[in-house]
Amino acid sequence: MSAILQAHHVEKYYGNRNNLTKALDGISFDVDAGEFMGVMGASGSGKTTLLNCISTIDTATSGQILIGGVDVTAMHAKALAKFRREELGFIFQDFNLLDTLTAYENIALALTILDTPHREIDRRTQDAARILGISDVLKKYPYQMSGGQRQRVASARAIVTEPSLVLADEPTGALDSKSARMLLERFEHLVEQRNATILMVTHDAFSASYCNRILFIRDGKLFHELVRGGASRKQFFDRIIEVISLLGGDANDII
Amino acid sequence: MTSFKLALRNVKKSFRDYAIYFLTLTFGVCIFFVFNSIESQQAIMDLTNGQMGILRLLNNVMTTFSVFVSVILGALILYANRFLIRRRKKEFGIYMTLGMEKGAMSRILVSETILVGLISLGVGTAMGVLLSQGMALVTAGLLGAEIGHFEFIFSSAAMWKTVICFGAVFLLTLIFNVFMVQKQNLIDLIYADRKNETFKTPKLFLSVFLFIVAAVLLGGAYFLVSGDGVFGVQTLGVAIVLGVVGTFLFFFSLSGFFLKLLQQNKRVYLKGLNMFVLRQINSKINTTYISMTMVCLMLFISISTLSSGIGVAKGLAESMEKNIPFDAGFLVNAGFTKDGETVRDYPGVDLIRAAKEGGADLSGFAKTYWTTRYYKADGNADMDRELSDMGPRFMKLSDFNTILKNRGVDPIALAPGQFAIDSGFDNEAYVEKLTALAGRAPTIRVGGEKLKTDASLLFQYALYVTQNSGMSPTLIVPDALLDGARPAADVLHIIYKGEGREYDTQCREALKGLPLPSGVERSLETGASVRETSSTATTTIAYLAIYLGIVFLITSAAILAISQLSETSDNISRYGLLRKIGTDERMIHRALFTQILIFFGVPLALALVHAVVGISMVNRVTGMLGTGSILAGSLFMALIMLIVYGGYFFATYLGSKNMLDREYARIE
């Protein structure tokens, strides 16, 4: 399989020479097409900074980030917006749906800003909604839906453009366990059936146990890597817990 | 003094975001001051007693309307203030969490209100003082007064009026603000920026239904006032009520209607950010339709007063000029008896002989003078009814030709059995009526002979100097037919030896003591006296139109600007999301532009339609406006609209765009 995302020695520094914070301290890794990759770490470990750099919302101080073979660290602001809407899909912790639009319109929005023909918009929106199991709430406004439904609408919006890479920032953070499980099963389904590539940042071991591979970050550095391989979800979960206890600190993250 | 310092910093900080509010306030004060300073402008003019009177009248009219204007501006200030306070709830929440007492917070707000009030009053008055220097020249021009000498004009009366009116408004704002702070809870303040995610919009099919109702109501209102002929106050009242309700429903249902309409057309709806913009507008309709209706009606008033006011003033001035064929006209006719209804018998007066008897030396100031006699001829009841309430007056052909000769016009001739009509007044509607009448070739009976006329024998000359030519035509018939007729009035026409006020004074002096038979009415009108009356009317109408028009215009534009700016800052997170999912900067700016354009454009468009219907109605009823003056008025209105309304529109767009870009730069 080819690498969708390649990160080479990515560094992100804040502050000045006298007071330097290394949020990312030389991180390198690859994500292959069709992978469901997790990034874990305690608060302040740099995982959100990493996600922001990959998602082109933030710029790295040095190093290279290649998405689909294109170096996003060398792109101009205008090209970045185009790149974001064509190659990336975003899922945020707080859903970030437009409250004035219905579910259908929220999903379709990702396509309308790409100037997609309207017939195709309808077909692809319905299709994405079916995959995420939200076909029956398409006419509703966000405030009429449950948190789980909202997050699945947001996920549908992220995948409807068929991006090379879906970036999910704590997608289960605001969900109850039942909704979280449902969402994660949909993610698995997307990866298996649609060959989608998902990079998910989380500090929840349960959510992480759905991934194929997990990177652990501490103090801006790659600390450990876990590959699920043939293990069951339960076995994988136990191994994640072991690593977290090694990472130390965030006792609250252990379920 | 910490609360004052805090207030000072707050004002400085918010100045950038609410520059529009400060400017409107300042501009409002300035306009108010300028139009209240008219009386003091006399300082630089050489005025006659009559012109003095006009200026005083003008000042009284302006003062009266200023009360109304200060109510409007006061409402605007309260409205804007409510927005500014709402934006700052979070800030007050922080003060309260830090343990600041409500009393201290009130002190901050009071200081702020006073500061803003003082600054805008100070700057506005200063601008007003400067502007009133220039306006004095315009006033002098309109009154036909001469500029005696230049001096710096400062109207302390205007200053006091401005300070009192706006002081009262700021005091009201202050009380409102303190009251606001007192009843706030900390929890509401802290979570003030959490948007309420549940919003209710009217059901779409209801919108479509209401939109149709609105269209029917507006159509009905337009139909009522566009009907032919004269209509009563009652019809007008019904039309106004229909119009207001229709406008209200129009804005209530408009966005829903268009949403429904465009949703049917997926090609448009699912293109770029169209969907977002429409939903955005639709979601705001619950809070905006009342203010949109107000804005639309105010724009309607503004457009109507600006365009027709200037038009009427211009038309009036032009038609007045036509009423001055010569330098002076001394008219004597029958007075009314004591009961005020029956007209006395008029014996007829030879005015030139009367002048000699009275010792008036006409040739002392007159280059030319002659008399004309008007006659009565009974027995033309049909014609009387059709032509005027007063009944037509008759004139000998030779007298008519003398008048024409002195006006430098070729004399006319009448074929046997013909008569001519002079409307004496070029009111379009009236001339139209007379033309129609002449076209029917009516006959009259004078001195035992039957006479006919036709459309080629209709003239529109003013026959003597008069204030009001009225709608009373003169019928011109061959001399011999009027030999035995009863006289109706006599006129002494005078052309002075030259220009200058001294002739006018001499003329008035000479004709004052003319011995006349008892029971006879006299009136002397000179070019100067007619122009004076005319300039009273034109100046008053023009100034009032500009005053009210501009106040309504800036009020409505400022309401839109403030509500749209506040709308943008409410929407920062929504636009931020669009950016995150990769929407082009250009596309976002275009969406913002479209949204603001719709909010500014739709009320203006409806107001323009209202105004076209309204102005043509007024024109048809009063016949005041010629085509030329409508054009001049409309151009003037369009220019002011373009500058003021267009200015507010672009300021709002740029302000909103900067707000978004600034926020975006902060996130980056």
Side-chain angles (χ1 to χ4, degrees):
Chain A
M1 276 199 204
S2 63
I4 286 285
L5 170 68
Q6 293 166 287
H8 293 310
H9 210 76
V10 177
E11 291 181 329
K12 177 71 184 178
Y13 295 167
Y14 292 108
N16 52 31
R17 192 189 301 257
N18 301 323
N19 181 17
L20 197 66
T21 310
K22 295 180 178 179
L24 294 177
D25 194 6
I27 285 187
S28 300
F29 65 94
D30 287 358
V31 182
D32 289 335
E35 241 190 326
F36 185 5
M37 167 92 127
V39 176
M40 293 194 77
S43 302
S45 62
K47 58 187 192 306
T48 301
T49 307
L50 177 65
L51 194 72
N52 283 343
C53 287
I54 296 171
S55 65
T56 72
I57 288 172
D58 204 347
T59 48
T61 311
S62 71
Q64 273 186 315
I65 298 170
L66 281 79
I67 300 174
V70 182
D71 187 359
V72 298
T73 55
M75 284 170 111
H76 296 294
K78 235 185 120 170
L80 278 177
K82 184 169 152 57
F83 182 80
R84 269 209 293 276
R85 64 176 177 266
E86 286 175 359
E87 303 294 334
L88 300 179
F90 291 95
I91 303 170
F92 308 93
Q93 179 175 356
D94 49 358
F95 323 135
N96 262 330
L97 294 176
L98 286 168
D99 53 355
T100 49
L101 267 56
T102 62
Y104 179 93
E105 290 165 347
N106 264 295
I107 301 169
L109 186 68
L111 293 171
T112 65
I113 59 169
L114 283 171
D115 282 332
T116 317
H118 65 97
R119 272 178 235 290
E120 207 180 321
I121 289 179
D122 190 55
R123 188 182 58 72
R124 281 164 70 173
T125 304
Q126 299 287 359
D127 189 41
R130 202 166 40 248
I131 298 172
L132 285 148
I134 43 165
S135 297
D136 51 336
V137 295
L138 281 181
K139 282 201 158 65
K140 289 188 177 175
Y141 289 96
Y143 74 90
Q144 296 167 317
M145 294 187 266
S146 70
Q149 286 171 331
R150 285 186 220 183
Q151 193 60 297
R152 278 181 284 147
V153 171
S155 309
R157 180 182 64 195
I159 61 141
V160 75
T161 55
E162 289 165 10
S164 340
L165 182 63
V166 174
L167 299 167
D169 187 7
E170 304 272 12
T172 56
L175 300 184
D176 60 89
S177 63
K178 189 163 162 278
S179 301
R181 193 187 306 260
M182 200 159 171
L183 182 72
L184 291 162
E185 280 165 7
R186 292 291 154 183
F187 281 1
E188 271 189 323
H189 179 77
L190 276 172
V191 172
E192 283 161 18
Q193 306 290 316
R194 299 281 169 138
N195 204 34
T197 311
I198 302 176
L199 179 72
M200 177 173 76
V201 166
T202 182
H203 60 235
D204 170 26
F206 173 75
S207 299
S209 68
Y210 282 83
C211 298
N212 306 130
R213 189 153 65 106
I214 297 169
L215 297 178
F216 292 88
I217 294 179
R218 188 165 74 175
D219 301 334
K221 286 184 184 145
L222 213 54
F223 171 77
H224 192 72
E225 182 176 338
L226 271 185
V227 181
R228 181 164 165 184
S232 74
R233 209 172 56 70
K234 179 73 181 78
Q235 289 167 330
F236 195 43
F237 177 75
D238 291 339
R239 284 167 62 198
I240 294 169
I241 296 294
E242 274 172 41
V243 178
I244 289 177
S245 57
L246 277 175
L247 270 168
D250 245 16
N252 292 338
D253 293 342
I254 303 166
I255 296 168
Chain B
M1 224 31 205
T2 38
S3 65
F4 180 75
K5 262 190 199 159
L6 211 52
L8 192 68
R9 284 175 58 174
N10 283 335
V11 171
K12 263 194 207 158
K13 195 183 69 193
S14 54
F15 187 83
R16 187 168 53 172
D17 282 344
Y18 293 100
I20 287 186
Y21 171 67
F22 285 98
L23 287 181
T24 306
L25 216 56
T26 311
F27 199 48
V29 171
C30 169
I31 295 275
F32 190 92
F33 180 89
V34 166
F35 280 95
N36 275 293
S37 70
I38 288 172
E39 199 171 13
S40 65
Q41 291 171 3
Q42 57 174 287
I44 64 158
M45 301 176 210
D46 286 337
L47 293 175
T48 61
N49 278 340
Q51 285 167 331
M52 253 328 231
I54 298 172
L55 212 57
R56 218 164 285 135
L57 175 79
L58 198 58
N59 191 61
N60 289 342
V61 172
M62 290 300 163
T63 306
T64 312
F65 276 91
S66 287
V67 175
F68 179 58
V69 162
S70 60
V71 169
I72 298 281
L73 289 176
L76 170 70
I77 291 169
L78 279 176
Y79 176 85
N81 178 67
R82 202 173 55 103
F83 268 103
L84 298 189
I85 292 291
R86 214 193 62 189
R87 296 237 48 75
R88 297 180 44 197
K89 280 193 173 168
K90 183 110 183 170
E91 179 189 328
F92 288 120
I94 292 170
Y95 292 157
M96 266 175 99
T97 355
L98 293 176
M100 191 183 270
E101 281 165 26
K102 282 187 173 174
M105 274 161 49
S106 296
R107 271 203 298 285
I108 294 181
L109 263 184
V110 167
S111 319
E112 273 182 45
T113 316
I114 290 174
L115 207 60
V116 169
L118 283 181
I119 293 173
S120 52
L121 258 178
V123 177
T125 310
M127 273 167 59
V129 170
L130 286 181
L131 211 61
S132 62
Q133 314 299 319
M135 185 148 125
L137 300 182
V138 179
T139 312
L142 283 171
L143 293 181
E146 275 152 37
I147 308 284
H149 57 290
F150 277 105
E151 76 174 63
F152 193 75
I153 305 162
F154 178 74
S155 166
S156 53
M159 190 194 75
W160 283 116
K161 275 185 221 166
T162 313
V163 167
I164 289 170
C165 281
F166 281 86
V169 170
F170 286 125
L171 192 69
L172 209 64
T173 316
L174 204 141
I175 293 168
F176 174 84
N177 286 349
V178 169
F179 181 72
M180 257 281 310
V181 167
Q182 294 303 328
K183 66 168 196 173
Q184 284 305 325
N185 295 319
L186 180 54
I187 184 86
D188 296 333
L189 290 176
I190 289 181
Y191 290 112
D193 64 340
R194 277 276 167 94
K195 20 176 213 300
N196 185 9
E197 285 192 333
T198 60
F199 57 92
K200 289 245 182 318
T201 51
K203 286 260 183 287
L204 287 186
F205 73 87
L206 185 68
S207 293
V208 174
F209 172 71
L210 287 178
F211 188 79
I212 295 167
V213 173
V216 169
L217 288 182
L218 288 179
Y222 292 165
F223 177 77
L224 279 181
V225 296
S226 65
D228 242 350
V230 187
F231 50 84
V233 178
Q234 218 166 3
T235 321
L236 191 64
V238 173
I240 289 174
V241 170
L242 283 186
V244 170
V245 175
T247 306
F248 180 79
L249 284 179
F250 177 84
F251 285 109
F252 186 71
S253 60
L254 182 73
S255 72
F257 177 76
F258 270 98
L259 190 66
K260 188 81 191 161
L261 201 70
L262 282 177
Q263 274 177 345
Q264 306 305 315
N265 186 350
K266 294 268 184 254
R267 193 190 302 271
V268 179
Y269 192 63
L270 294 177
K271 175 133 182 57
L273 293 177
N274 288 355
M275 179 170 76
F276 171 76
V277 171
L278 271 169
R279 284 291 191 181
Q280 202 65 18
I281 292 169
N282 192 233
S283 75
K284 274 286 142 194
I285 209 63
N286 255 359
T287 46
T288 51
Y289 65 99
I290 293 175
S291 60
M292 292 294 262
T293 309
M294 296 298 293
V295 164
C296 177
L297 295 178
M298 283 196 286
L299 279 175
F300 165 55
I301 296 174
S302 175
I303 293 169
S304 309
T305 46
L306 282 177
S307 57
S308 65
I310 301 302
V312 166
K314 192 168 175 286
L316 213 58
E318 279 167 7
S319 76
M320 276 300 191
E321 210 49 47
K322 285 184 192 139
N323 281 343
I324 314 175
F326 311 115
D327 286 325
F330 186 63
L331 173 80
V332 285
N333 56 5
F336 291 101
T337 51
K338 278 202 177 116
D339 60 15
E341 279 181 17
T342 340
V343 182
R344 288 175 197 263
D345 277 340
Y346 175 66
V349 182
D350 183 343
L351 286 169
I352 292 176
R353 210 173 69 197
K356 272 194 193 119
E357 282 168 5
D361 178 22
L362 295 181
S363 49
F365 53 87
K367 187 174 78 184
T368 317
Y369 57 90
W370 73 101
T371 58
T372 304
R373 174 159 290 179
Y374 284 92
Y375 296 91
K376 263 186 184 163
D378 299 324
N380 292 298
D382 291 353
M383 196 68 171
D384 289 7
R385 254 202 313 283
E386 284 217 57
L387 286 175
S388 82
D389 303 337
M390 304 287 287
R393 294 185 297 186
F394 291 84
M395 185 185 278
K396 288 180 175 174
L397 177 62
S398 61
D399 280 349
F400 185 66
N401 279 335
T402 308
I403 291 171
L404 291 191
K405 192 188 84 191
N406 282 307
R407 288 185 63 137
V409 181
D410 288 338
I412 66 159
L414 289 176
Q418 270 191 329
F419 73 98
I421 305 177
D422 188 283
S423 67
F425 186 48
D426 69 345
N427 176 303
E428 271 179 37
Y430 187 58
V431 170
E432 222 169 83
K433 195 173 146 193
L434 285 183
T435 312
L437 177 81
R440 290 202 298 275
T443 55
I444 55 167
R445 199 170 274 281
V446 186
E449 252 188 71
K450 248 173 126 179
L451 300 174
K452 270 183 169 315
T453 190
D454 62 63
S456 69
L457 292 170
L458 178 63
F459 302 94
Q460 300 167 29
Y461 297 112
L463 299 178
Y464 58 96
V465 179
T466 174
Q467 292 281 4
N468 180 11
S469 41
M471 295 193 188
S472 172
T474 308
L475 306 188
I476 296 116
V477 300
D479 289 14
L481 297 181
L482 288 174
D483 276 345
R486 286 188 293 132
D490 283 286
V491 182
L492 172 64
H493 308 275
I494 298 163
I495 297 174
Y496 296 153
K497 280 178 168 168
E499 306 264 321
R501 276 185 195 167
E502 66 271 21
Y503 296 109
D504 218 59
T505 323
Q506 283 178 32
C507 176
R508 288 199 171 277
E509 207 50 50
L511 293 176
K512 206 161 68 180
L514 224 56
L516 293 173
S518 68
V520 164
E521 297 259 308
R522 63 167 86 195
S523 73
L524 172 66
E525 292 294 351
T526 65
S529 69
V530 173
R531 280 190 195 101
E532 216 157 71
T533 315
S534 139
S535 62
T536 313
T538 50
T539 314
T540 310
I541 292 172
Y543 274 12
L544 205 56
I546 295 175
Y547 188 26
L548 293 183
I550 287 185
V551 164
F552 276 110
L553 185 61
I554 61 168
T555 304
S556 46
I559 286 179
L560 285 174
I562 290 164
S563 68
Q564 282 305 296
L565 280 171
S566 134
E567 165 80 3
T568 304
S569 78
D570 284 347
N571 282 334
I572 280 177
S573 66
R574 293 193 184 125
Y575 284 107
L577 173 69
L578 290 179
R579 271 206 171 102
K580 273 190 205 158
I581 64 171
T583 313
D584 236 5
E585 191 106 340
R586 280 223 318 274
M587 210 183 243
I588 289 178
H589 288 162
R590 215 183 308 138
L592 187 69
F593 187 83
T594 314
Q595 194 179 330
I596 295 173
L597 184 68
I598 288 173
F599 270 101
F600 272 81
V602 172
L604 179 64
L606 187 63
L608 275 173
V609 176
H610 282 359
V612 167
V613 175
I615 292 169
S616 56
M617 185 268 295
V618 170
N619 189 28
R620 214 177 33 256
V621 173
T622 64
M624 284 278 224
L625 298 158
T627 327
S629 49
I630 284 191
L631 189 71
S634 308
L635 282 178
F636 174 77
M637 181 273 295
L639 187 72
I640 294 213
M641 287 303 265
L642 198 70
I643 295 171
V644 177
Y645 203 68
Y648 270 96
F649 168 72
F650 274 103
T652 308
Y653 172 64
L654 291 179
S656 298
K657 188 167 153 286
N658 286 342
M659 212 187 281
L660 288 188
D661 291 350
R662 211 159 58 219
E663 193 65 22
Y664 188 51
R666 203 176 58 80
I667 292 168
E668 291 272 89

